[in-house]
Amino acid sequence: MHSFLEKKYELSRIFLEGTKDSFETGMKIIKKQSNVDRLYYFIALKNGNSYENAEFFWDSSKKRNSCSYFPEVLGLDGDFKTIFDQLINGNCVIKESYGEVSHDFLKLAGINFFNLICFVPCFVSQEFKGFMACMNESSEPDLIFMKSVSELVGKSADYTSAFLKIKIGESKYRAILQNIEDGYFETDLKGNLMAFNDSVCRIAGVSRNELKGINNRQYTTPETAKNMLRVFSEIYRTNIPLKIRDYEVILKNNEKKWIELSASLIKNEDGDPVGFRGLVRDVTARKKSEYERKKLEEKLNQAQRLEAVGTLAGGIAHDFNNLLMAIQGNASLISSASKGNSVVMQKAANIEKCVESGANLVRQLLGFARGGKYIARPCSINRVIDTSLVMFSRAHKNITIEKVFSENLFPVEADQSQLEQVFMNLYLNAKSAMDGRGQITIKTANVNLTEDVTSIHDLSPGDYVEIEVSDTGSGMEPEILKRIFDPFFSTKEKGRGTGLGLASVFGIIKNHNGFINVSSVPGKGSSFKLYFPAFKSSASEYREDLKKDSASNKPKKVLVADDDQAILDVCGEMLTEIGYVVETASGGYEAVNIFQKKSKEIDIVILDILMPDLDGFETCRELKKIDKNVLVLFSSGYIEEEQYKKENLGEEMKGAFISKPYNLSSLKEKIESLFRDRYEADNK
């Protein structure tokens, strides 16, 4: 009796654990204590108020097949209804002398012959929960003990079955949450993260330990955190799920991401709010794509708008130029007919000054409309910038210039004078933004642009030269940035700007098959990035030819020979003004002597044709004996260009003549044209 109670107490303790293992342990004790060869447990299946079958739950042999229900498992198809009805009514059932077994399952279980099979119903609080079934080959089982513990078995099976269903459900739920791409999270009412899946860690870019317990206000901006509080307060108040779009997240490396978040309220068993749960989706790629698309649309709209305005500006400029020509002609006639009347002549001169100002405006307007690409030749951007900076920096000494040049820069095919106008306008624009004091930085580089960059400008992908001109000025607001290339748009005071400077910059660059991008931050300055297609023909040879000068930014050297000291002085000043190093000779023989010593340093020689000791033509022939490739520019105020062309100086010297008097601009253009012609001849 004492042993019986001890076993029952031990079984109570084991079964109350309510786990699969504890049920297994308890049933093994019952099998041994009851002297049973094979022991099974079946859970009753209830449909409404009636029981219709029993489902297999446990088997001591652990040799089950795919059968799940009571009659199929035990091979009792014929007696199933009778046995089941008795069990439901609380009766134990014993079936004797079954003889040889033919059922596949019992053979699989290793039972070939048995004398009897017994069934013991299990009730919990007078409700039928299931039954134990045992098989013996010879002896009878201890049914008294089995009946005494049947309620414990029923309770334990009930608990274990429910636990397993919950565990399976939780496993499926957990597997689903861990394998979805979206992030799942749960927070308390204060917004502290309590549970989340791995996708949340991936989106946030941190480990699970770093993320656990963190508050949602810690990884976003104050403005977004305020919006979050408003949304979650609304969810708490209404119990209606809400979605938050464009929720900005700041990662630990200060990288920004955008997510979409949908959230709902969590309630406990009593229906009280205890937290929030929801899903998050990383939409950063979509946001960036939308931003890029918007930028491209803005650029396309601007390009189309400026093209339309350019067409209009070209028509206006053409008609306006005709009006100016008529005014200029009449002013000249008035001046000629004034016959010394100083008042009339002064008025005519005033008209001509106004015409000149108007003509300058027309030139700028035409620069915007058609770009002004008049003489396109291969040229070095670094040299063009150097030349333009010489003139600008001398007049604006309070502005620091920083140059960061690429040594092996691609050549570009362009009108050099127009490029100088572009750079000068950019420098002047920077000067105005800095109130005449600050730093301008000019950088050049070779870049390869892909189709997604060039297609918006209707250009081909490939090699380009990038020039960046940035300043430390006041910067621009976005509204102004959108209009800076519009003709006649200016932020200067009335009368201080025409509003055509940057418009002509845009037109010239566009007509050179390039484009320009601008970025600006108010209070931090502006950056203009210009892109010109690389000149493909003999580009590598051209870069090699320029490599030495580009590396050192060394200006070219000019030898000037003239017997008039005043000419030497003024010519020397003009050449220095446009960026050349000058050496002078007061006659032909002196020029030959200097060239004999420094021929490798001298890039071009300017010779006056009429000199008393050795004229310009003879001097040129002597120079060619020293260096047959010497570059010479002849100058004269007496001999005309036609007379010069009669001299037999070789095909390469045609066009190398400039008449006196000449101004700085014509001298500069003539020298540069000789350099271009020489380069083209060398690369044919």
Side-chain angles (χ1 to χ4, degrees):
M1 183 69 179
H2 181 68
S3 176
F4 180 88
L5 292 174
E6 285 181 348
K7 287 294 181 185
K8 190 172 180 180
Y9 174 76
E10 183 183 358
L11 285 170
S12 298
R13 180 182 58 79
I14 293 170
F15 279 140
L16 284 174
E17 292 180 16
T19 65
K20 180 78 173 178
D21 290 340
S22 65
F23 186 82
E24 175 94 13
T25 302
M27 292 300 286
K28 285 180 178 179
I29 292 173
I30 293 173
K31 177 178 176 293
K32 183 177 180 180
Q33 185 69 25
S34 303
N35 192 27
V36 171
D37 293 332
R38 295 288 186 272
L39 183 61
Y40 302 88
Y41 185 81
F42 294 86
I43 297 175
L45 298 178
K46 195 174 184 179
N47 184 7
N49 295 323
S50 62
Y51 295 93
E52 57 183 23
N53 209 330
E55 185 177 25
F56 174 87
F57 185 70
W58 185 82
D59 170 14
S60 65
S61 71
K62 297 185 178 179
K63 293 184 179 180
R64 290 190 57 225
N65 62 7
S66 59
C67 298
S68 296
Y69 298 106
F70 159 50
E72 293 90 349
V73 172
L74 298 180
L76 301 172
D77 295 347
D79 297 327
F80 160 66
K81 188 71 172 68
T82 304
I83 295 171
F84 201 56
D85 287 343
Q86 291 184 58
L87 291 172
I88 292 171
N89 291 321
N91 300 315
C92 292
V93 179
I94 300 174
K95 286 298 211 177
E96 299 183 34
S97 301
Y98 258 59
E100 187 176 350
V101 176
S102 62
H103 194 276
D104 291 339
F105 173 72
L106 298 180
K107 287 183 177 180
L108 185 63
I111 302 173
N112 297 316
F113 184 88
F114 62 90
N115 287 324
L116 56 83
I117 180 168
C118 303
F119 303 92
V120 179
C122 297
F123 284 81
V124 177
S125 301
Q126 298 182 347
E127 183 181 354
F128 181 56
K129 292 293 185 181
F131 57 90
M132 291 180 282
C134 60
M135 295 179 181
N136 273 26
E137 296 180 18
S138 56
S139 60
E140 294 184 4
D142 187 350
L143 293 180
I144 296 173
F145 178 75
M146 291 179 68
K147 192 162 179 63
S148 69
V149 296
S150 63
E151 186 173 4
L152 288 175
V153 174
K155 284 183 178 179
S156 180
D158 214 17
Y159 295 153
T160 304
S161 176
F163 173 77
L164 289 175
K165 288 179 180 178
I166 292 171
K167 191 173 182 181
I168 291 170
E170 286 182 347
S171 297
K172 288 182 179 179
Y173 173 70
R174 188 176 294 109
I176 291 170
L177 290 182
Q178 286 297 345
N179 288 289
I180 60 174
E181 186 176 355
D182 292 344
Y184 173 82
F185 69 92
E186 292 181 5
T187 72
D188 60 18
L189 291 175
K190 293 181 179 179
N192 300 311
L193 276 172
M194 307 302 292
F196 46 88
N197 65 359
D198 291 341
S199 293
V200 173
C201 301
R202 174 181 53 78
I203 292 170
V206 296
S207 67
R208 185 169 285 274
N209 288 336
E210 290 176 292
L211 203 55
K212 193 169 185 178
I214 196 171
N215 192 277
N216 57 21
R217 292 187 296 275
Q218 292 177 243
Y219 48 81
T220 188
T221 62
E223 182 180 350
T224 303
K226 187 177 180 180
N227 185 42
M228 286 280 290
L229 179 61
R230 180 186 61 78
V231 171
F232 278 99
S233 297
E234 182 73 9
I235 295 172
Y236 181 86
R237 185 177 62 82
T238 63
N239 193 26
I240 298 174
L242 292 176
K243 178 178 283 189
I244 303 172
R245 297 183 183 275
D246 301 339
Y247 174 31
E248 189 177 15
V249 176
I250 302 175
L251 308 184
K252 63 179 181 181
N253 58 357
N254 287 327
E255 179 189 354
K256 290 184 179 180
K257 280 192 174 183
W258 283 268
I259 63 173
E260 282 185 353
L261 182 150
S262 55
S264 60
L265 196 62
I266 301 176
K267 293 185 177 183
N268 61 16
E269 297 82 2
D270 299 325
D272 298 323
V274 293
F276 303 94
R277 66 164 59 92
L279 294 172
V280 293
R281 174 173 295 176
D282 186 354
V283 294
T284 304
R286 191 196 74 198
K287 286 286 291 182
K288 288 182 178 179
S289 177
E290 289 175 352
Y291 176 73
E292 290 300 323
R293 186 173 69 250
K294 185 178 180 182
K295 281 180 63 179
L296 290 175
E297 287 175 353
E298 288 178 353
K299 285 184 178 181
L300 181 60
N301 291 336
Q302 184 188 45
Q304 291 172 338
R305 177 168 53 84
L306 290 175
E307 185 174 358
V309 174
T311 302
L312 176 63
I316 293 173
H318 177 269
D319 292 344
F320 191 55
N321 235 348
N322 290 339
L323 289 173
L324 289 177
M325 187 63 232
I327 295 170
Q328 173 68 65
N330 282 286
S332 298
L333 291 172
I334 291 170
S335 179
S336 176
S338 63
K339 297 181 180 180
N341 189 323
S342 60
V343 175
V344 174
M345 291 181 66
Q346 182 62 46
K347 298 297 183 184
N350 290 340
I351 292 172
E352 289 180 338
K353 286 181 181 179
C354 291
V355 168
E356 184 179 353
S357 297
N360 287 332
L361 283 175
V362 170
R363 278 192 289 273
Q364 291 187 67
L365 196 58
L366 285 172
F368 169 75
R370 69 188 184 208
K373 184 181 172 185
Y374 305 119
I375 306 173
R377 300 176 185 270
C379 62
S380 165
I381 288 292
N382 288 346
R383 288 181 177 176
V384 176
I385 294 172
D386 275 332
T387 302
S388 62
L389 281 174
V390 168
M391 291 181 282
F392 176 79
S393 57
R394 285 186 178 180
H396 306 91
K397 297 186 181 296
N398 289 331
I399 294 177
T400 304
I401 305 294
E402 181 184 3
K403 297 184 292 184
V404 185
F405 285 172
S406 171
E407 294 184 3
N408 298 310
L409 199 66
F410 294 131
V412 300
E413 189 176 32
D415 186 309
Q416 185 164 330
S417 63
Q418 293 300 312
L419 290 189
E420 288 176 5
Q421 180 184 335
V422 166
F423 294 128
M424 190 62 69
N425 279 330
L426 292 177
Y427 303 154
L428 293 173
N429 184 73
K431 177 190 77 76
S432 299
M434 298 185 295
D435 290 331
R437 188 181 298 272
Q439 177 172 304
I440 297 175
T441 303
I442 303 106
K443 299 179 182 179
T444 61
N446 295 326
V447 294
N448 186 274
L449 301 182
T450 56
E451 189 174 3
D452 59 331
V453 176
T454 59
S455 60
I456 187 64
H457 305 285
D458 199 22
L459 299 174
S460 301
D463 291 330
Y464 282 74
V465 174
E466 178 188 75
I467 309 105
E468 180 180 6
V469 180
S470 57
D471 61 63
T472 56
S474 56
M476 291 176 278
E477 296 291 342
E479 303 78 42
I480 293 176
L481 199 60
K482 292 177 182 178
R483 299 190 59 196
I484 57 172
F485 297 122
D486 289 0
F488 305 111
F489 175 76
S490 177
T491 57
K492 297 177 182 178
E493 297 175 10
K494 187 175 181 180
R496 295 192 60 188
T498 63
L500 287 171
L502 291 180
S504 64
V505 166
F506 179 88
I508 291 170
I509 294 172
K510 185 176 184 296
N511 205 49
H512 281 78
N513 297 318
F515 63 95
I516 181 170
N517 287 335
V518 189
S519 60
S520 184
V521 178
K524 294 187 178 181
S526 302
S527 173
F528 292 77
K529 286 188 177 181
L530 289 61
Y531 296 89
F532 294 97
F535 179 62
K536 292 296 181 182
S537 177
S538 303
S540 59
E541 292 87 347
Y542 185 87
R543 290 198 306 275
E544 191 65 32
D545 182 58
L546 297 179
K547 186 174 181 181
K548 183 176 178 181
D549 284 349
S550 298
S552 60
N553 290 324
K554 182 180 178 181
K556 287 187 175 296
K557 193 168 188 177
V558 183
L559 172 61
V560 182
D562 201 297
D563 60 320
D564 190 330
Q565 186 61 44
I567 297 294
L568 290 177
D569 291 342
V570 71
C571 185
E573 289 181 11
M574 292 169 71
L575 289 167
T576 302
E577 178 72 14
I578 56 178
Y580 293 99
V581 174
V582 181
E583 186 141 348
T584 60
S586 57
Y589 285 121
E590 186 179 357
V592 172
N593 290 333
I594 292 173
F595 192 76
Q596 180 77 49
K597 298 173 184 176
K598 302 180 179 181
S599 61
K600 294 187 181 302
E601 301 175 22
I602 295 170
D603 297 286
I604 188 170
V605 181
I606 299 177
L607 296 175
D608 181 32
I609 292 178
L610 298 179
M611 292 185 289
D613 57 346
L614 195 68
D615 69 33
F617 300 134
E618 289 297 324
T619 303
C620 177
R621 293 185 179 97
E622 292 298 316
L623 295 179
K624 281 182 172 288
K625 293 177 183 178
I626 302 169
D627 181 1
K628 64 179 181 179
N629 295 317
V630 63
L631 195 59
V632 177
L633 172 62
F634 292 96
S635 173
S636 178
Y638 181 77
I639 295 176
E640 297 296 329
E641 188 167 3
E642 288 301 317
Q643 185 179 352
Y644 154 76
K645 289 180 179 178
K646 293 177 183 178
E647 292 292 329
N648 186 21
L649 297 173
E651 186 70 18
E652 73 275 12
M653 299 305 297
K654 288 185 178 180
F657 177 86
I658 187 168
S659 295
K660 296 178 183 176
Y662 47 77
N663 58 28
L664 187 148
S665 177
S666 59
L667 176 63
K668 175 174 172 292
E669 176 58 28
K670 179 60 73 173
I671 292 174
E672 288 171 354
S673 70
L674 290 177
F675 280 129
R676 294 179 198 133
D677 291 340
R678 171 58 59 86
Y679 170 73
E680 290 181 354
D682 290 344
N683 287 278
K684 281 185 177 178

